[in-house]
Amino acid sequence: MCGIVGYVGNREASPILVEGLSKLEYRGYDSAGVAIIENGDLTVKRCKGRLKNLENNLQKKPVKGTIGIGHTRWATHGEPSDSNSHPHSNAEGTISVVHNGIIENYIKLREWLGSKGYKFYSETDTEVIPNLIDYYYKGDLFEALTKAITKMEGSYAIGVICKNEPDKLIAVRKDSPLIVGLGKDEFFIASDIPAVLEYTREVYLLEDKEFVIITNDGVTLKTEDGEVIDKEIFHVTWDIDAAEKGGFEDFMLKEVYEQPKAIRDTLTSRIAGDAKVSLENIKFTKEELDKFDRVFIVACGTAYHAGLVGKTVIENLAKIPVEVDIASEFRYRQPLITKNSLLIVISQSGETADTLAVLRDSKKLGATVLAVTNVVGSSVSREAHHVLYTWAGPEIAVASTKAYETQLIAMYILGLYLGEVKETISKEESSIIKEEIANLPSKVEMILTQKEELQKFAAKNYMDKDVFFLGRGLDYAIALEGSLKLKEISYIHSEAYAGGELKHGPIALIEKGTVVIALLTQDKLKDKMISNIREVITRGAKVLAIANEGDKDIEGVVDGVIYIPNTNPILTPVLSVVPLQLIAYYMAKEKGCDVDKPRNLAKSVTVE
Ligand code: M6R
């Protein structure tokens, strides 16, 4: 996720672009840049780091001009660096582009453009765009852009300016957001409304493949065939704070709702139809994988819970024994790491101190390290031998939601990849799972429509002192995650237990009115879970069940049921965690807690 802005008007573009970018920093903040038409020439300023760095550079050496584009980056292809920062330009510096999205076929396009003499100076996917436009440019920027996008696969919101047409800004989108702000004698483009709210409340919300051509004379919307589009103006009524959160009350809720997109992005180009899983730069041979006698998954907090799911997935699909541990425990227990070990570290931030320490110690012992992280250029991504990025975009709320979902997806991608290379799963088995994985984003969307029921449950139970979560197998891993979410943002005491452990102690805690949330999405374990549920009900518990659609037999047993859409049993965690995230969220809201910044917690734990 990145943020783009653009300005055409009579004022100096530079401060307006920087101000707009500051409102989009929630979309990315590892580097920033602007390109401005200055005295008929294109001037580009860009640098690694927070927007403040760019602002300081612009203060030292201002760029004058009234047409420009800007970008705040969250790296996906190429680590944060000056040369990977946007805007990107063609070699002559006559065309500059800002881009949000992912050009999936950029490697092929680079090769093709390379064969025509084009040179590249960054590691980004974006750099192919100004060069493609250059290739097609015959004096008409709009025409060149329409041709360029026919070559591009993936998602994009693009803003382009060109030295040869210095009075013009052109933009287009596909699967990445883009709006056009309509001020008085001045016009804007932006990835999101907050960037323009200071100047106007009148916007166009662009649809896929709609182009906008902006000059000082006004705004024209066109299709790729050049037909003019007549579009309704949208009047924004939100205040700036709500707008930054996309109209949601909190970043956490926004991020919960971003999960379908985060899952789709993480799957992009890795799982496509029936083709074998492809992991960009990660390429193991069967012999290399057969050398690993054990996989260790190590992480903290929510990432550790993703690892628990990863264990079952990798053991089932790739038939390698997997040990999962909490980084702070693993690093002090002299684990049996050897050169035949594959260590998978999972970390949203890529900066968690204990996880990083495990990575470093294990490398010294000869392990091969694969990092699953959300932050390109983070410490774990730089120090691991291999990196599988989760493309969740920046996660602002302290409670991890969309990053967790994408960590689960990373576990499936890895499990399938290892299974395919090791030949431990059949093509049929792999196809069935891939087909179902592709359906997960829309199934998460279906669960999100049940929010009222979850809200009601929260309103009824938010005063409770304790909440217990129960599950077996993969459901137990989700019970742990649900319990962590609840305690960290609502401060309600909660515990998660494996159903089979109840009689070994925890059942002593159940009394009249105790709330128990029971997961029973694993068909093979369902009867055993129903027995556990009956045991707690007998002792007075009120039970909310999370079950598969169609499991009507549970209805007569429990006080309430939340159904998740049917899917392959190995994939249910991606769905069953969503109601638990929402329960935690609504309980915390009922209690008046600051869900985005819970007390005593930091987003990233960079010290021991
Ligand atoms: O950045 P990391 O994934 O390494 O962070 C690990 C934990 O600190 C993190 O998941 C934490 O448990 C979250 N606050 C949970 O919501």
PDB file of all heavy atoms in Angstrom, residues 30 48 74-75 78-80 345-352 355-356 359-360 371-384 387-390 604 606:
ATOM      1  N   ASP A  30       7.887   4.695   4.269  1.00  0.00           N
ATOM      2  CA  ASP A  30       9.312   4.367   4.282  1.00  0.00           C
ATOM      3  C   ASP A  30      10.127   5.237   3.336  1.00  0.00           C
ATOM      4  O   ASP A  30      11.349   5.257   3.399  1.00  0.00           O
ATOM      5  CB  ASP A  30       9.564   2.873   4.049  1.00  0.00           C
ATOM      6  CG  ASP A  30       9.095   2.387   2.699  1.00  0.00           C
ATOM      7  OD1 ASP A  30       9.310   3.089   1.711  1.00  0.00           O
ATOM      8  OD2 ASP A  30       8.530   1.275   2.642  1.00  0.00           O
ATOM      9  N   LYS A  48      14.625   8.295   0.905  1.00  0.00           N
ATOM     10  CA  LYS A  48      14.240   7.255   1.861  1.00  0.00           C
ATOM     11  C   LYS A  48      13.868   7.921   3.185  1.00  0.00           C
ATOM     12  O   LYS A  48      14.376   8.988   3.505  1.00  0.00           O
ATOM     13  CB  LYS A  48      15.453   6.344   2.045  1.00  0.00           C
ATOM     14  CG  LYS A  48      15.283   5.245   3.031  1.00  0.00           C
ATOM     15  CD  LYS A  48      16.573   4.465   3.162  1.00  0.00           C
ATOM     16  CE  LYS A  48      16.499   3.679   4.461  1.00  0.00           C
ATOM     17  NZ  LYS A  48      17.639   2.873   4.731  1.00  0.00           N
ATOM     18  N   TRP A  74       5.272   2.417   0.750  1.00  0.00           N
ATOM     19  CA  TRP A  74       5.359   1.244   1.623  1.00  0.00           C
ATOM     20  C   TRP A  74       5.907   0.163   0.720  1.00  0.00           C
ATOM     21  O   TRP A  74       5.198  -0.351  -0.145  1.00  0.00           O
ATOM     22  CB  TRP A  74       3.973   0.882   2.161  1.00  0.00           C
ATOM     23  CG  TRP A  74       3.987  -0.292   3.078  1.00  0.00           C
ATOM     24  CD1 TRP A  74       3.614  -1.572   2.790  1.00  0.00           C
ATOM     25  CD2 TRP A  74       4.366  -0.307   4.451  1.00  0.00           C
ATOM     26  NE1 TRP A  74       3.752  -2.373   3.897  1.00  0.00           N
ATOM     27  CE2 TRP A  74       4.209  -1.621   4.923  1.00  0.00           C
ATOM     28  CE3 TRP A  74       4.843   0.671   5.333  1.00  0.00           C
ATOM     29  CZ2 TRP A  74       4.500  -1.989   6.238  1.00  0.00           C
ATOM     30  CZ3 TRP A  74       5.124   0.297   6.641  1.00  0.00           C
ATOM     31  CH2 TRP A  74       4.955  -1.007   7.086  1.00  0.00           C
ATOM     32  N   ALA A  75       7.192  -0.130   0.880  1.00  0.00           N
ATOM     33  CA  ALA A  75       7.890  -0.943  -0.114  1.00  0.00           C
ATOM     34  C   ALA A  75       7.273  -2.318  -0.319  1.00  0.00           C
ATOM     35  O   ALA A  75       6.878  -2.974   0.643  1.00  0.00           O
ATOM     36  CB  ALA A  75       9.337  -1.101   0.329  1.00  0.00           C
ATOM     37  N   GLY A  78      11.650  -4.109  -3.848  1.00  0.00           N
ATOM     38  CA  GLY A  78      12.828  -3.268  -3.632  1.00  0.00           C
ATOM     39  C   GLY A  78      12.737  -2.596  -2.284  1.00  0.00           C
ATOM     40  O   GLY A  78      11.730  -1.984  -1.948  1.00  0.00           O
ATOM     41  N   GLU A  79      13.839  -2.704  -1.511  1.00  0.00           N
ATOM     42  CA  GLU A  79      13.801  -2.167  -0.150  1.00  0.00           C
ATOM     43  C   GLU A  79      13.735  -0.633  -0.160  1.00  0.00           C
ATOM     44  O   GLU A  79      14.032  -0.014  -1.187  1.00  0.00           O
ATOM     45  CB  GLU A  79      15.027  -2.643   0.620  1.00  0.00           C
ATOM     46  CG  GLU A  79      16.323  -2.176   0.014  1.00  0.00           C
ATOM     47  CD  GLU A  79      17.517  -2.552   0.874  1.00  0.00           C
ATOM     48  OE1 GLU A  79      17.428  -3.496   1.645  1.00  0.00           O
ATOM     49  OE2 GLU A  79      18.528  -1.852   0.748  1.00  0.00           O
ATOM     50  N   PRO A  80      13.372  -0.031   0.970  1.00  0.00           N
ATOM     51  CA  PRO A  80      13.345   1.429   1.006  1.00  0.00           C
ATOM     52  C   PRO A  80      14.741   2.005   0.743  1.00  0.00           C
ATOM     53  O   PRO A  80      15.693   1.644   1.432  1.00  0.00           O
ATOM     54  CB  PRO A  80      12.890   1.736   2.433  1.00  0.00           C
ATOM     55  CG  PRO A  80      12.233   0.485   2.908  1.00  0.00           C
ATOM     56  CD  PRO A  80      12.923  -0.642   2.222  1.00  0.00           C
ATOM     57  N   VAL A 345      10.885 -17.610  10.618  1.00  0.00           N
ATOM     58  CA  VAL A 345      10.503 -16.601  11.611  1.00  0.00           C
ATOM     59  C   VAL A 345       9.343 -15.806  11.026  1.00  0.00           C
ATOM     60  O   VAL A 345       9.329 -15.502   9.835  1.00  0.00           O
ATOM     61  CB  VAL A 345      11.663 -15.649  12.000  1.00  0.00           C
ATOM     62  CG1 VAL A 345      12.721 -16.373  12.797  1.00  0.00           C
ATOM     63  CG2 VAL A 345      12.281 -14.981  10.781  1.00  0.00           C
ATOM     64  N   ILE A 346       8.365 -15.503  11.870  1.00  0.00           N
ATOM     65  CA  ILE A 346       7.213 -14.718  11.409  1.00  0.00           C
ATOM     66  C   ILE A 346       7.196 -13.431  12.229  1.00  0.00           C
ATOM     67  O   ILE A 346       7.235 -13.474  13.462  1.00  0.00           O
ATOM     68  CB  ILE A 346       5.879 -15.474  11.625  1.00  0.00           C
ATOM     69  CG1 ILE A 346       5.963 -16.893  11.056  1.00  0.00           C
ATOM     70  CG2 ILE A 346       4.717 -14.713  10.995  1.00  0.00           C
ATOM     71  CD1 ILE A 346       4.711 -17.737  11.309  1.00  0.00           C
ATOM     72  N   SER A 347       7.142 -12.305  11.546  1.00  0.00           N
ATOM     73  CA  SER A 347       7.089 -11.027  12.265  1.00  0.00           C
ATOM     74  C   SER A 347       6.486  -9.961  11.371  1.00  0.00           C
ATOM     75  O   SER A 347       7.041  -9.659  10.315  1.00  0.00           O
ATOM     76  CB  SER A 347       8.500 -10.613  12.700  1.00  0.00           C
ATOM     77  OG  SER A 347       8.464  -9.336  13.274  1.00  0.00           O
ATOM     78  N   GLN A 348       5.363  -9.396  11.797  1.00  0.00           N
ATOM     79  CA  GLN A 348       4.743  -8.315  11.028  1.00  0.00           C
ATOM     80  C   GLN A 348       5.760  -7.202  10.822  1.00  0.00           C
ATOM     81  O   GLN A 348       6.040  -6.808   9.694  1.00  0.00           O
ATOM     82  CB  GLN A 348       3.510  -7.797  11.786  1.00  0.00           C
ATOM     83  CG  GLN A 348       2.659  -6.757  11.070  1.00  0.00           C
ATOM     84  CD  GLN A 348       3.244  -5.358  11.032  1.00  0.00           C
ATOM     85  OE1 GLN A 348       3.308  -4.748   9.976  1.00  0.00           O
ATOM     86  NE2 GLN A 348       3.700  -4.839  12.150  1.00  0.00           N
ATOM     87  N   SER A 349       6.320  -6.709  11.924  1.00  0.00           N
ATOM     88  CA  SER A 349       7.209  -5.543  11.853  1.00  0.00           C
ATOM     89  C   SER A 349       8.580  -5.901  11.313  1.00  0.00           C
ATOM     90  O   SER A 349       9.266  -5.058  10.754  1.00  0.00           O
ATOM     91  CB  SER A 349       7.380  -4.946  13.252  1.00  0.00           C
ATOM     92  OG  SER A 349       7.964  -5.911  14.107  1.00  0.00           O
ATOM     93  N   GLY A 350       8.991  -7.147  11.545  1.00  0.00           N
ATOM     94  CA  GLY A 350      10.351  -7.539  11.163  1.00  0.00           C
ATOM     95  C   GLY A 350      11.397  -6.958  12.097  1.00  0.00           C
ATOM     96  O   GLY A 350      12.591  -6.992  11.810  1.00  0.00           O
ATOM     97  N   GLU A 351      10.955  -6.435  13.242  1.00  0.00           N
ATOM     98  CA  GLU A 351      11.891  -5.778  14.166  1.00  0.00           C
ATOM     99  C   GLU A 351      11.784  -6.320  15.580  1.00  0.00           C
ATOM    100  O   GLU A 351      12.441  -5.778  16.482  1.00  0.00           O
ATOM    101  CB  GLU A 351      11.630  -4.256  14.208  1.00  0.00           C
ATOM    102  CG  GLU A 351      11.765  -3.527  12.886  1.00  0.00           C
ATOM    103  CD  GLU A 351      13.177  -3.552  12.309  1.00  0.00           C
ATOM    104  OE1 GLU A 351      14.126  -3.906  13.040  1.00  0.00           O
ATOM    105  OE2 GLU A 351      13.322  -3.241  11.108  1.00  0.00           O
ATOM    106  N   THR A 352      10.971  -7.327  15.826  1.00  0.00           N
ATOM    107  CA  THR A 352      10.787  -7.828  17.191  1.00  0.00           C
ATOM    108  C   THR A 352      12.098  -8.410  17.717  1.00  0.00           C
ATOM    109  O   THR A 352      12.690  -9.301  17.086  1.00  0.00           O
ATOM    110  CB  THR A 352       9.644  -8.862  17.208  1.00  0.00           C
ATOM    111  OG1 THR A 352       8.469  -8.192  16.775  1.00  0.00           O
ATOM    112  CG2 THR A 352       9.426  -9.453  18.584  1.00  0.00           C
ATOM    113  N   THR A 355      12.581 -12.274  18.217  1.00  0.00           N
ATOM    114  CA  THR A 355      12.515 -13.012  16.948  1.00  0.00           C
ATOM    115  C   THR A 355      13.814 -12.805  16.168  1.00  0.00           C
ATOM    116  O   THR A 355      14.382 -13.755  15.602  1.00  0.00           O
ATOM    117  CB  THR A 355      11.297 -12.521  16.127  1.00  0.00           C
ATOM    118  OG1 THR A 355      10.151 -12.582  16.973  1.00  0.00           O
ATOM    119  CG2 THR A 355      11.078 -13.350  14.887  1.00  0.00           C
ATOM    120  N   LEU A 356      14.286 -11.573  16.187  1.00  0.00           N
ATOM    121  CA  LEU A 356      15.523 -11.246  15.489  1.00  0.00           C
ATOM    122  C   LEU A 356      16.707 -11.986  16.121  1.00  0.00           C
ATOM    123  O   LEU A 356      17.587 -12.500  15.422  1.00  0.00           O
ATOM    124  CB  LEU A 356      15.729  -9.727  15.561  1.00  0.00           C
ATOM    125  CG  LEU A 356      16.795  -9.109  14.685  1.00  0.00           C
ATOM    126  CD1 LEU A 356      16.614  -9.486  13.221  1.00  0.00           C
ATOM    127  CD2 LEU A 356      16.737  -7.577  14.827  1.00  0.00           C
ATOM    128  N   LEU A 359      16.714 -15.522  14.976  1.00  0.00           N
ATOM    129  CA  LEU A 359      17.196 -15.585  13.584  1.00  0.00           C
ATOM    130  C   LEU A 359      18.740 -15.577  13.568  1.00  0.00           C
ATOM    131  O   LEU A 359      19.380 -16.407  12.918  1.00  0.00           O
ATOM    132  CB  LEU A 359      16.616 -14.385  12.832  1.00  0.00           C
ATOM    133  CG  LEU A 359      16.917 -14.185  11.350  1.00  0.00           C
ATOM    134  CD1 LEU A 359      15.856 -13.271  10.732  1.00  0.00           C
ATOM    135  CD2 LEU A 359      18.260 -13.602  11.063  1.00  0.00           C
ATOM    136  N   ARG A 360      19.314 -14.637  14.319  1.00  0.00           N
ATOM    137  CA  ARG A 360      20.778 -14.493  14.300  1.00  0.00           C
ATOM    138  C   ARG A 360      21.476 -15.720  14.906  1.00  0.00           C
ATOM    139  O   ARG A 360      22.418 -16.257  14.330  1.00  0.00           O
ATOM    140  CB  ARG A 360      21.186 -13.232  15.078  1.00  0.00           C
ATOM    141  CG  ARG A 360      20.839 -11.973  14.309  1.00  0.00           C
ATOM    142  CD  ARG A 360      21.096 -10.720  15.101  1.00  0.00           C
ATOM    143  NE  ARG A 360      20.759  -9.546  14.308  1.00  0.00           N
ATOM    144  CZ  ARG A 360      20.473  -8.355  14.808  1.00  0.00           C
ATOM    145  NH1 ARG A 360      20.504  -8.157  16.106  1.00  0.00           N
ATOM    146  NH2 ARG A 360      20.175  -7.356  14.015  1.00  0.00           N
ATOM    147  N   ALA A 371      12.183 -15.758   6.350  1.00  0.00           N
ATOM    148  CA  ALA A 371      11.383 -14.811   7.139  1.00  0.00           C
ATOM    149  C   ALA A 371      10.056 -14.549   6.461  1.00  0.00           C
ATOM    150  O   ALA A 371       9.997 -14.388   5.238  1.00  0.00           O
ATOM    151  CB  ALA A 371      12.143 -13.498   7.294  1.00  0.00           C
ATOM    152  N   VAL A 372       8.991 -14.514   7.264  1.00  0.00           N
ATOM    153  CA  VAL A 372       7.683 -14.075   6.773  1.00  0.00           C
ATOM    154  C   VAL A 372       7.435 -12.734   7.446  1.00  0.00           C
ATOM    155  O   VAL A 372       7.318 -12.664   8.673  1.00  0.00           O
ATOM    156  CB  VAL A 372       6.591 -15.095   7.156  1.00  0.00           C
ATOM    157  CG1 VAL A 372       5.213 -14.567   6.801  1.00  0.00           C
ATOM    158  CG2 VAL A 372       6.844 -16.438   6.477  1.00  0.00           C
ATOM    159  N   THR A 373       7.440 -11.675   6.689  1.00  0.00           N
ATOM    160  CA  THR A 373       7.303 -10.350   7.290  1.00  0.00           C
ATOM    161  C   THR A 373       6.498  -9.411   6.392  1.00  0.00           C
ATOM    162  O   THR A 373       6.350  -9.661   5.200  1.00  0.00           O
ATOM    163  CB  THR A 373       8.683  -9.734   7.636  1.00  0.00           C
ATOM    164  OG1 THR A 373       8.489  -8.452   8.239  1.00  0.00           O
ATOM    165  CG2 THR A 373       9.557  -9.564   6.405  1.00  0.00           C
ATOM    166  N   ASN A 374       6.022  -8.340   7.016  1.00  0.00           N
ATOM    167  CA  ASN A 374       5.167  -7.382   6.296  1.00  0.00           C
ATOM    168  C   ASN A 374       5.934  -6.132   5.897  1.00  0.00           C
ATOM    169  O   ASN A 374       5.390  -5.264   5.241  1.00  0.00           O
ATOM    170  CB  ASN A 374       4.000  -7.002   7.231  1.00  0.00           C
ATOM    171  CG  ASN A 374       2.858  -6.363   6.489  1.00  0.00           C
ATOM    172  OD1 ASN A 374       2.561  -6.728   5.346  1.00  0.00           O
ATOM    173  ND2 ASN A 374       2.223  -5.395   7.094  1.00  0.00           N
ATOM    174  N   VAL A 375       7.188  -6.041   6.356  1.00  0.00           N
ATOM    175  CA  VAL A 375       7.913  -4.788   6.134  1.00  0.00           C
ATOM    176  C   VAL A 375       9.180  -5.034   5.317  1.00  0.00           C
ATOM    177  O   VAL A 375      10.146  -5.633   5.806  1.00  0.00           O
ATOM    178  CB  VAL A 375       8.254  -4.099   7.482  1.00  0.00           C
ATOM    179  CG1 VAL A 375       8.941  -2.768   7.228  1.00  0.00           C
ATOM    180  CG2 VAL A 375       6.979  -3.875   8.295  1.00  0.00           C
ATOM    181  N   VAL A 376       9.142  -4.547   4.094  1.00  0.00           N
ATOM    182  CA  VAL A 376      10.311  -4.673   3.214  1.00  0.00           C
ATOM    183  C   VAL A 376      11.432  -3.809   3.791  1.00  0.00           C
ATOM    184  O   VAL A 376      11.195  -2.669   4.187  1.00  0.00           O
ATOM    185  CB  VAL A 376       9.960  -4.205   1.786  1.00  0.00           C
ATOM    186  CG1 VAL A 376      11.183  -4.288   0.877  1.00  0.00           C
ATOM    187  CG2 VAL A 376       8.823  -5.041   1.221  1.00  0.00           C
ATOM    188  N   GLY A 377      12.610  -4.383   3.869  1.00  0.00           N
ATOM    189  CA  GLY A 377      13.755  -3.616   4.385  1.00  0.00           C
ATOM    190  C   GLY A 377      13.885  -3.691   5.890  1.00  0.00           C
ATOM    191  O   GLY A 377      14.803  -3.112   6.467  1.00  0.00           O
ATOM    192  N   SER A 378      12.974  -4.416   6.569  1.00  0.00           N
ATOM    193  CA  SER A 378      13.072  -4.557   8.032  1.00  0.00           C
ATOM    194  C   SER A 378      14.287  -5.423   8.367  1.00  0.00           C
ATOM    195  O   SER A 378      14.843  -6.097   7.489  1.00  0.00           O
ATOM    196  CB  SER A 378      11.798  -5.203   8.571  1.00  0.00           C
ATOM    197  OG  SER A 378      11.615  -6.459   7.943  1.00  0.00           O
ATOM    198  N   SER A 379      14.654  -5.440   9.657  1.00  0.00           N
ATOM    199  CA  SER A 379      15.854  -6.199  10.044  1.00  0.00           C
ATOM    200  C   SER A 379      15.742  -7.670   9.659  1.00  0.00           C
ATOM    201  O   SER A 379      16.677  -8.232   9.099  1.00  0.00           O
ATOM    202  CB  SER A 379      16.090  -6.070  11.541  1.00  0.00           C
ATOM    203  OG  SER A 379      16.247  -4.717  11.859  1.00  0.00           O
ATOM    204  N   VAL A 380      14.599  -8.308   9.943  1.00  0.00           N
ATOM    205  CA  VAL A 380      14.532  -9.746   9.618  1.00  0.00           C
ATOM    206  C   VAL A 380      14.590  -9.960   8.108  1.00  0.00           C
ATOM    207  O   VAL A 380      15.166 -10.935   7.638  1.00  0.00           O
ATOM    208  CB  VAL A 380      13.321 -10.504  10.243  1.00  0.00           C
ATOM    209  CG1 VAL A 380      13.218 -10.320  11.725  1.00  0.00           C
ATOM    210  CG2 VAL A 380      12.031 -10.211   9.569  1.00  0.00           C
ATOM    211  N   SER A 381      14.017  -9.029   7.339  1.00  0.00           N
ATOM    212  CA  SER A 381      14.046  -9.229   5.883  1.00  0.00           C
ATOM    213  C   SER A 381      15.468  -9.089   5.337  1.00  0.00           C
ATOM    214  O   SER A 381      15.841  -9.725   4.373  1.00  0.00           O
ATOM    215  CB  SER A 381      13.099  -8.251   5.172  1.00  0.00           C
ATOM    216  OG  SER A 381      13.682  -6.975   5.088  1.00  0.00           O
ATOM    217  N   ARG A 382      16.270  -8.258   6.002  1.00  0.00           N
ATOM    218  CA  ARG A 382      17.653  -8.077   5.525  1.00  0.00           C
ATOM    219  C   ARG A 382      18.542  -9.239   5.945  1.00  0.00           C
ATOM    220  O   ARG A 382      19.448  -9.629   5.229  1.00  0.00           O
ATOM    221  CB  ARG A 382      18.225  -6.769   6.079  1.00  0.00           C
ATOM    222  CG  ARG A 382      17.597  -5.520   5.457  1.00  0.00           C
ATOM    223  CD  ARG A 382      18.463  -4.303   5.709  1.00  0.00           C
ATOM    224  NE  ARG A 382      18.828  -4.166   7.103  1.00  0.00           N
ATOM    225  CZ  ARG A 382      18.131  -3.503   8.021  1.00  0.00           C
ATOM    226  NH1 ARG A 382      17.023  -2.887   7.664  1.00  0.00           N
ATOM    227  NH2 ARG A 382      18.521  -3.426   9.269  1.00  0.00           N
ATOM    228  N   GLU A 383      18.230  -9.821   7.112  1.00  0.00           N
ATOM    229  CA  GLU A 383      19.169 -10.807   7.650  1.00  0.00           C
ATOM    230  C   GLU A 383      18.807 -12.256   7.329  1.00  0.00           C
ATOM    231  O   GLU A 383      19.646 -13.140   7.436  1.00  0.00           O
ATOM    232  CB  GLU A 383      19.304 -10.609   9.165  1.00  0.00           C
ATOM    233  CG  GLU A 383      19.903  -9.235   9.467  1.00  0.00           C
ATOM    234  CD  GLU A 383      20.275  -9.038  10.928  1.00  0.00           C
ATOM    235  OE1 GLU A 383      20.657 -10.029  11.580  1.00  0.00           O
ATOM    236  OE2 GLU A 383      20.173  -7.896  11.403  1.00  0.00           O
ATOM    237  N   ALA A 384      17.564 -12.499   6.934  1.00  0.00           N
ATOM    238  CA  ALA A 384      17.172 -13.879   6.607  1.00  0.00           C
ATOM    239  C   ALA A 384      17.747 -14.273   5.247  1.00  0.00           C
ATOM    240  O   ALA A 384      18.051 -13.409   4.420  1.00  0.00           O
ATOM    241  CB  ALA A 384      15.655 -13.974   6.574  1.00  0.00           C
ATOM    242  N   VAL A 387      13.010 -14.438   1.987  1.00  0.00           N
ATOM    243  CA  VAL A 387      11.905 -13.654   2.571  1.00  0.00           C
ATOM    244  C   VAL A 387      10.623 -13.901   1.780  1.00  0.00           C
ATOM    245  O   VAL A 387      10.613 -13.846   0.545  1.00  0.00           O
ATOM    246  CB  VAL A 387      12.187 -12.135   2.524  1.00  0.00           C
ATOM    247  CG1 VAL A 387      11.115 -11.377   3.304  1.00  0.00           C
ATOM    248  CG2 VAL A 387      13.559 -11.811   3.075  1.00  0.00           C
ATOM    249  N   LEU A 388       9.556 -14.164   2.523  1.00  0.00           N
ATOM    250  CA  LEU A 388       8.223 -14.226   1.916  1.00  0.00           C
ATOM    251  C   LEU A 388       7.426 -13.069   2.523  1.00  0.00           C
ATOM    252  O   LEU A 388       7.120 -13.084   3.723  1.00  0.00           O
ATOM    253  CB  LEU A 388       7.559 -15.574   2.229  1.00  0.00           C
ATOM    254  CG  LEU A 388       6.145 -15.749   1.687  1.00  0.00           C
ATOM    255  CD1 LEU A 388       6.105 -15.674   0.174  1.00  0.00           C
ATOM    256  CD2 LEU A 388       5.568 -17.092   2.138  1.00  0.00           C
ATOM    257  N   TYR A 389       7.133 -12.070   1.701  1.00  0.00           N
ATOM    258  CA  TYR A 389       6.419 -10.910   2.233  1.00  0.00           C
ATOM    259  C   TYR A 389       4.916 -11.164   2.305  1.00  0.00           C
ATOM    260  O   TYR A 389       4.336 -11.750   1.401  1.00  0.00           O
ATOM    261  CB  TYR A 389       6.678  -9.670   1.362  1.00  0.00           C
ATOM    262  CG  TYR A 389       8.080  -9.145   1.522  1.00  0.00           C
ATOM    263  CD1 TYR A 389       9.016  -9.286   0.512  1.00  0.00           C
ATOM    264  CD2 TYR A 389       8.466  -8.532   2.709  1.00  0.00           C
ATOM    265  CE1 TYR A 389      10.315  -8.824   0.672  1.00  0.00           C
ATOM    266  CE2 TYR A 389       9.770  -8.070   2.884  1.00  0.00           C
ATOM    267  CZ  TYR A 389      10.681  -8.227   1.860  1.00  0.00           C
ATOM    268  OH  TYR A 389      11.968  -7.774   2.029  1.00  0.00           O
ATOM    269  N   THR A 390       4.335 -10.670   3.408  1.00  0.00           N
ATOM    270  CA  THR A 390       2.868 -10.617   3.486  1.00  0.00           C
ATOM    271  C   THR A 390       2.522  -9.223   2.991  1.00  0.00           C
ATOM    272  O   THR A 390       3.125  -8.255   3.438  1.00  0.00           O
ATOM    273  CB  THR A 390       2.411 -10.771   4.945  1.00  0.00           C
ATOM    274  OG1 THR A 390       3.110  -9.824   5.753  1.00  0.00           O
ATOM    275  CG2 THR A 390       2.656 -12.163   5.471  1.00  0.00           C
ATOM    276  N   SER A 604       5.458  -2.468  18.135  1.00  0.00           N
ATOM    277  CA  SER A 604       6.578  -3.360  17.844  1.00  0.00           C
ATOM    278  C   SER A 604       7.484  -3.407  19.074  1.00  0.00           C
ATOM    279  O   SER A 604       7.884  -2.363  19.603  1.00  0.00           O
ATOM    280  CB  SER A 604       7.310  -2.793  16.631  1.00  0.00           C
ATOM    281  OG  SER A 604       8.435  -3.554  16.368  1.00  0.00           O
ATOM    282  N   THR A 606      10.764  -3.863  20.331  1.00  0.00           N
ATOM    283  CA  THR A 606      12.128  -3.919  19.806  1.00  0.00           C
ATOM    284  C   THR A 606      13.184  -4.068  20.898  1.00  0.00           C
ATOM    285  O   THR A 606      14.374  -4.015  20.634  1.00  0.00           O
ATOM    286  CB  THR A 606      12.427  -2.649  18.985  1.00  0.00           C
ATOM    287  OG1 THR A 606      12.118  -1.519  19.811  1.00  0.00           O
ATOM    288  CG2 THR A 606      11.594  -2.581  17.730  1.00  0.00           C
TER     289      THR A 606
END
